[in-house]
Amino acid sequence: QVQLVESGGGLVQAGGSLRLSCAASGRTFSMYTMGWFRQAPGKERESVAAIGKSGGSKYYVDSVKGRFTISRDNAKNTVYLQMNSLKPEDTAVYYCAAGRPGAIGSWSNPYEYDYWGQGTQVTVSS
């Protein structure tokens, strides 16, 4: 079992920055690919970014490339999402997830992830 707890959400003006953190319990954190997803009201859950077990491989959805950076610290059992140049359309509940998906092409699929945090709200005002 892996328990995930997100933090760092909040209200920010367009163009601002936020850093999300996701702390994981257990000693198997480094065995999991970690993903960040988001869900806006009335919309489906969307993959934002994912990072491989060692941190060497990363995936980003096109809409956040160049603005968001995913990273992980396996010694601290934590994954981060640095979000810069935020836009109102980034407003959503952000979730972190742990899983063991196959090839990087499947990292955006939420069904590939077994464990989910409770989510943290990010609101970007215009």
Side-chain angles (χ1 to χ4, degrees):
Q1 283 281 6
V2 177
Q3 292 184 324
L4 303 172
V5 179
E6 302 97 335
S7 61
L11 173 64
V12 64
Q13 289 188 332
S17 298
L18 284 174
R19 188 194 197 202
L20 304 184
S21 299
C22 173
S25 66
R27 294 180 287 181
T28 59
F29 178 75
S30 61
M31 296 174 60
Y32 291 94
T33 294
M34 299 299 297
W36 283 100
F37 293 78
R38 64 187 179 188
Q39 188 165 20
K43 295 188 176 181
E44 292 187 354
R45 190 165 296 191
E46 173 191 35
S47 173
V48 176
I51 187 167
K53 293 178 286 186
S54 67
S57 297
K58 301 178 183 181
Y59 158 85
Y60 297 96
V61 69
D62 285 347
S63 60
V64 308
K65 285 180 180 177
R67 301 189 297 123
F68 291 11
T69 302
I70 189 171
S71 61
R72 68 188 296 164
D73 185 337
N74 286 344
K76 295 183 178 179
N77 282 10
T78 302
V79 61
Y80 306 96
L81 186 68
Q82 177 66 44
M83 305 186 295
N84 298 329
S85 302
L86 282 161
K87 304 175 181 180
E89 51 262 45
D90 295 317
T91 295
V93 177
Y94 283 70
Y95 300 89
C96 72
R100 295 175 178 173
I104 194 169
S106 65
W107 289 12
S108 62
N109 185 349
Y111 294 100
E112 296 284 346
Y113 293 82
D114 302 307
Y115 304 101
W116 292 82
Q118 82 290 346
T120 186
Q121 177 70 47
V122 171
T123 302
V124 184
S125 63
S126 56

